[in-house]
Each structure stands twice: as structure tokens, then as C-alpha cells.
Amino acid sequence: NAGVTQTPKFQVLKTGQSMTLQCAQDMNHEYMSWYRQDPGMGLRLIHYSVGAGITDQGEVPNGYNVSRSTTEDFPLRLLSAAPSQTSVYFCASTKEGEGYEQYFGPGTRLTVT
Amino acid sequence: SQELEQSPQSLIVQEGKNLTINCTSSKTLYGLYWYKQKYGEGLIFLMMLQKGGEEKSHEKITAKLDEKKQQSSLHITASQPSHAGIYLCGADILGGGNKLTFGTGTQLKVEL
């Protein structure tokens, strides 16, 4: 199993550009989520999904869109990048329900200039 | 506001010393997860605690969840340079098991 994979590893965008961060898992997990990590803030939940076709907002959803057309993939779209979105983005997946380990991808380091 | 308080924010210890990191919530924790992160890398799962009073160990790392399920501690015995990194606690404070709230992390440095 590859686990949770994320691409790209690094990205630099100019303000106003759009892009999609890719996330895929091969563990047949129902639940997938996106977090951003900023210095002194810990990880904050952006969006999550409990299965294909079902998504919901987390703590900091503004400026981001998600979709879940398959169990395996959960892309995160930045519609119009802003410097405040400079961060490290992590995708995670787990089985639905309590008591399961959350598996994290290696992260995407995004800089918006 | 930070629903999950982690302390200390940073810690420098000499190799061989013991240390403890705390994670405290004002709400009941349905599940408490400890992760380790090396700078610039992803999160490595260490342990998960669910039951009040539960204690788990892996190599020289022990984690405990108090009886009230509002505080967890991570204890490292005889620290080594390989223990250096950022330790994060994540908690399920809503129930349901999936949406985690994270503390701000504890940066640990181990000096030779």
C-alpha cells in the first residue's frame, strides 16, 4: 500500500492564481480530510468528506473547494490564491467511526507571493 | 481560541533525561492521538487513547489519558537525539471519531 499520497510536494503561486492540490489513498478509507499547518497554530481542519459525494466544511474553509467523486481521491482547490494561504497542507484518511488511526500524507508546502 | 492546550511549547533536554509533554482540554476527549513530526515532513502516528485511565507504551514513549478524559501526557524516558521533533496531540472532542482538533505542538530538542 502507498498509504496517503499528495502532489505536488512544493508549489509557488502568484496572488490570484488557482490550483488543485491532489490527495489519494489506497486503503479504502471512507473518511478523508484536509488540514493546514501554520506556525503557532497547530493543524486546522479545512474540509472533510465521509464518503464519495459527501463533503463538509471544517474550521477554516474560506477560499477552498473540495469534491469527492471517488473513494480514493480528495482534491483541494484554491480558487484565487492569497498570501494568507501560504501554509503546509496535509491530507489525511481513516476508517469511519471512533478509535481508528488517521493516516497523514507527506504534505504540500505552498507559498503564495 | 485554542480548545486543546499543549505544554510546553518547546523543550530542550540533555540526552538521557526524561521529559513530559501535556495536552489539556476543557471538553471530554472521545479519543486522543499523539503524533510526531520532523521538520518539513508528515505526521507519524505514535499512539491513540480512548478510555479514561488508559496508558500505552511504545519503546521509550508512554502516553496516558486521565480518568476524566480531559488531559493526556506523553512521557519519554532516557531521551535520545532520535526523539527530537515536534509532538502534536490531536483529539476527537465532538465524538464520532473522525474530526480532530490539534494542539499547537511541542518542539523537542535533545542535546548531546
Side-chain angles (χ1 to χ4, degrees):
Chain A
N1 284 354
V4 180
T5 57
Q6 290 183 240
T7 55
K9 199 168 174 65
F10 300 95
Q11 183 70 49
V12 178
L13 289 179
K14 292 194 168 143
T15 297
Q17 286 184 317
S18 63
M19 80 158 294
T20 299
L21 279 62
Q22 301 292 344
C23 174
Q25 53 93 6
D26 60 358
M27 297 171 281
N28 204 31
H29 287 163
E30 302 93 343
Y31 183 88
M32 295 184 75
S33 54
W34 277 102
Y35 293 86
R36 59 178 288 173
Q37 185 178 32
D38 302 294
M41 303 288 289
L43 275 77
R44 292 181 292 168
L45 183 64
I46 305 171
H47 284 285
Y48 65 97
S49 168
V50 298
I54 306 169
T55 63
D56 206 345
Q57 296 180 349
E59 182 186 352
V60 288
N62 292 342
Y64 307 95
N65 270 1
V66 292
S67 59
R68 184 100 178 266
S69 55
T70 66
T71 301
E72 294 78 20
D73 300 297
F74 191 43
L76 179 74
R77 293 184 199 84
L78 279 70
L79 308 171
S80 178
S84 61
Q85 293 179 304
T86 293
S87 188
V88 182
Y89 291 86
F90 289 100
C91 178
S93 78
T94 185
K95 291 182 183 179
E96 176 70 13
E98 293 188 8
Y100 296 109
E101 176 186 342
Q102 294 227 5
Y103 294 81
F104 282 81
T108 294
R109 187 173 293 272
L110 175 68
T111 302
V112 183
T113 61
Chain B
S1 65
Q2 197 66 36
E3 293 179 296
L4 209 58
E5 295 286 340
Q6 209 172 319
S7 63
Q9 283 190 323
S10 63
L11 199 50
I12 302 173
V13 299
Q14 278 195 315
E15 183 178 6
K17 297 294 186 185
N18 303 337
L19 64 106
T20 300
I21 298 168
N22 293 303
C23 183
T24 303
S25 171
S26 57
K27 300 178 181 179
T28 298
L29 303 173
Y30 291 90
L32 191 288
Y33 299 72
W34 284 101
Y35 288 88
K36 180 186 173 186
Q37 184 181 28
K38 293 273 192 186
Y39 180 76
E41 297 180 15
L43 279 68
I44 301 167
F45 174 77
L46 296 175
M47 277 169 276
M48 189 201 73
L49 306 163
Q50 274 193 293
K51 299 174 185 173
E54 187 175 9
E55 179 174 320
K56 287 187 178 177
S57 293
H58 177 66
E59 297 179 345
K60 294 186 177 178
I61 301 176
T62 300
K64 296 166 72 170
L65 183 61
D66 74 342
E67 289 289 343
K68 290 185 178 179
K69 294 174 64 175
Q70 288 186 294
Q71 184 171 3
S72 178
S73 59
L74 185 86
H75 184 77
I76 298 177
T77 304
S79 58
Q80 300 169 351
S82 60
H83 288 129
I86 300 170
Y87 289 81
L88 291 156
C89 65
D92 172 12
I93 59 174
L94 298 174
N98 294 140
K99 291 168 65 176
L100 298 187
T101 298
F102 281 86
T104 53
T106 295
Q107 181 150 15
L108 171 64
K109 294 183 182 177
V110 180
E111 292 183 335
L112 299 173

